[in-house]
Amino acid sequence: MHLLETRVAHDRSGWRVDFLGDDEEAVSIKVADGHATSEEEAVKAAREVMIQLTAFGTRGGGRSVNAYDSASNGNFDDQWLLDTWH
């Protein structure tokens, strides 16, 4: 997902932060009022939730193998390397 827009809305139940991407992809995070008092704080809290959730998609939530692994976004931009034989 390539982030195109971030929308923030507030109502009685708290903040809703929508991360909108290309190809009509969207991720919505609800942030309780106790965790944010402004739009900026709501976006920051929502990003922190998404970072915490990324661990669930990697090795069962296990730790990174090394520094490169922890910095990688996992998109495999260099897929041609997968066909390389040594």
Side-chain angles (χ1 to χ4, degrees), residues 7-26:
R7 293 183 188 162
V8 182
H10 186 263
D11 61 22
R12 293 181 299 184
S13 63
W15 298 90
R16 189 184 79 237
V17 180
D18 298 324
F19 297 102
L20 307 172
D22 55 350
D23 294 330
E24 300 181 23
E25 298 160 320

Side-chain angles (χ1 to χ4, degrees), residues 10-58:
H10 186 263
D11 61 22
R12 293 181 299 184
S13 63
W15 298 90
R16 189 184 79 237
V17 180
D18 298 324
F19 297 102
L20 307 172
D22 55 350
D23 294 330
E24 300 181 23
E25 298 160 320
V27 175
S28 296
I29 306 288
K30 183 177 186 305
V31 179
D33 274 333
H35 295 284
T37 59
S38 68
E39 285 188 17
E40 293 80 21
E41 287 181 12
V43 170
K44 182 180 177 188
R47 287 182 178 166
E48 289 172 0
V49 168
M50 288 185 43
I51 289 169
Q52 292 169 2
L53 290 174
T54 57
F56 290 112
T58 58

